[in-house]
Amino acid sequence: MIRQEQQSQTKNSPTVKNYTTINEAYNLPGCLITLQRQYGSYGYFAQDRFVAADKQNVTDEIALNPSHFNDHSAEQVLSTLVHEMANLWQHHYGKTSRPGYHNREWAAKMREIGLIPSSTGEAGGNETGQKMSHYIATGGKFANHCANLLKSGFEVPYVQLWDEAKAQKSKR
């Protein structure tokens, strides 16, 4: 009886709901998806970041910054996840450059996916570089798949209530 109550509580847990929902949108080699507040970043990819308790199974990390979930659409949050998935793809299947550098191969994969790499996050920005953003290609693969996912009822289940920028200012 107690076990059934615990399973029910676990199933309805905000943590389980949040990570299960994000995991539904993910489809590459296993990695640990985390929520991390890194000021000035929507997300990041870190290769070989964690090891299992058995010290045998090493895994990568994709971190999403929940500070941006409240003031960005689900489509924008998912585009950050996919941006980081492109970094993971390149680590496993492509040829990476120096750490943190987004090269032409990565830019080509982003375009194939339907995200346009841009150093400014807008049209006209550099497509390669150390710190990169992107914008969503109208009518591209990502936009179409994302629209279908959102139509099916997908939503980011939890968003942060307080404003990260205001919190940073109040610390000064």
Side-chain angles (χ1 to χ4, degrees):
M1 179 75 162
I2 292 174
R3 182 76 174 143
Q4 288 176 333
E5 288 176 17
Q6 287 174 334
Q7 287 175 339
S8 177
Q9 289 173 349
T10 299
K11 187 173 105 179
N12 295 319
S13 156
T15 301
V16 170
K17 184 176 183 177
N18 204 51
Y19 282 101
T20 299
T21 301
I22 291 169
N23 196 51
E24 287 174 15
Y26 180 83
N27 65 355
L28 280 172
C31 79
L32 188 59
I33 298 175
T34 64
L35 300 179
Q36 302 286 336
R37 287 179 186 84
Q38 184 171 331
Y39 189 73
S41 175
Y42 294 144
Y44 62 83
F45 166 73
Q47 66 186 45
D48 303 332
R49 176 60 65 95
F50 293 97
V51 66
D54 66 6
K55 306 290 187 229
Q56 301 297 311
N57 187 12
V58 176
T59 191
D60 306 314
E61 175 189 27
I62 288 179
L64 299 175
N65 188 341
S67 300
H68 299 284
F69 289 9
N70 194 27
D71 58 352
H72 289 84
S73 68
E75 181 185 47
Q76 291 169 314
V77 171
L78 288 170
S79 76
T80 298
L81 173 63
V82 172
H83 173 128
E84 301 312 333
M85 288 168 64
N87 289 325
L88 182 140
W89 169 87
Q90 186 175 42
H91 169 66
H92 286 276
Y93 305 112
K95 185 170 167 67
T96 59
S97 300
R98 67 179 181 269
Y101 188 79
H102 299 78
N103 64 24
R104 288 183 182 157
E105 179 185 61
W106 173 85
K109 177 54 78 175
M110 288 284 284
R111 284 189 162 282
E112 177 186 325
I113 292 167
L115 297 177
I116 310 302
S118 170
S119 58
T120 64
E122 298 175 6
N126 292 332
E127 289 197 352
T128 61
Q130 196 68 28
K131 184 170 176 152
M132 294 298 297
S133 187
H134 64 269
Y135 59 95
I136 299 166
T138 305
K141 284 183 182 179
F142 173 81
N144 293 333
H145 285 289
C146 188
N148 290 334
L149 184 63
L150 295 174
K151 282 179 194 171
S152 76
F154 179 92
E155 60 183 15
V156 178
Y158 288 92
V159 297
Q160 184 171 294
L161 289 174
W162 51 279
D163 185 317
E164 187 78 18
K166 288 179 185 173
Q168 289 294 327
K169 287 180 184 175
S170 69
K171 289 181 182 179
R172 295 179 192 158

